[in-house]
Amino acid sequence: MRYVYLIRSVADPTKRYVGMTADVAARLQAHNAGKSAYTAKFRPWALVTYLGFDDDQRAIEFERYLKTGSGHAEHRHFWRGDSAAI
């Protein structure tokens, strides 16, 4: 199973990241440990939500979609609210 996840910087809530992984908890831990060059400077990160896919290709396509212009408009719904984690 693959998961597409959305995280938000606790230090700077305007910073957001969309990624894909087989292990959400381990990947969040890696982001918070500074093991990702892109997210290291905005630590710590909090999980907003994640979606699971049985089909790896569909997960890849969904992650890619969320990172496009159309996807940015769509996933704004995931970022609403003050909760840092769901």
Side-chain angles (χ1 to χ4, degrees), residues 8-81:
R8 175 186 289 128
S9 170
V10 174
D12 182 353
T14 66
K15 302 300 181 191
R16 302 167 177 169
Y17 183 82
V18 175
M20 185 179 58
T21 186
D23 185 338
V24 176
R27 189 66 183 124
L28 180 60
Q29 184 177 3
H31 282 293
N32 284 326
K35 294 183 179 179
S36 172
Y38 183 80
T39 60
K41 58 188 167 251
F42 303 111
R43 293 181 289 168
W45 292 89
L47 182 65
V48 174
T49 195
Y50 63 95
L51 298 112
F53 295 83
D54 288 332
D55 181 339
D56 287 357
Q57 187 59 39
R58 290 191 74 184
I60 292 166
E61 291 169 2
F62 187 66
E63 179 198 26
R64 188 176 300 141
Y65 168 73
L66 288 179
K67 290 180 175 182
T68 66
S70 296
H72 282 276
E74 181 66 31
H75 73 71
R76 74 182 187 283
H77 302 289
F78 292 119
W79 301 110
R80 283 197 253 177

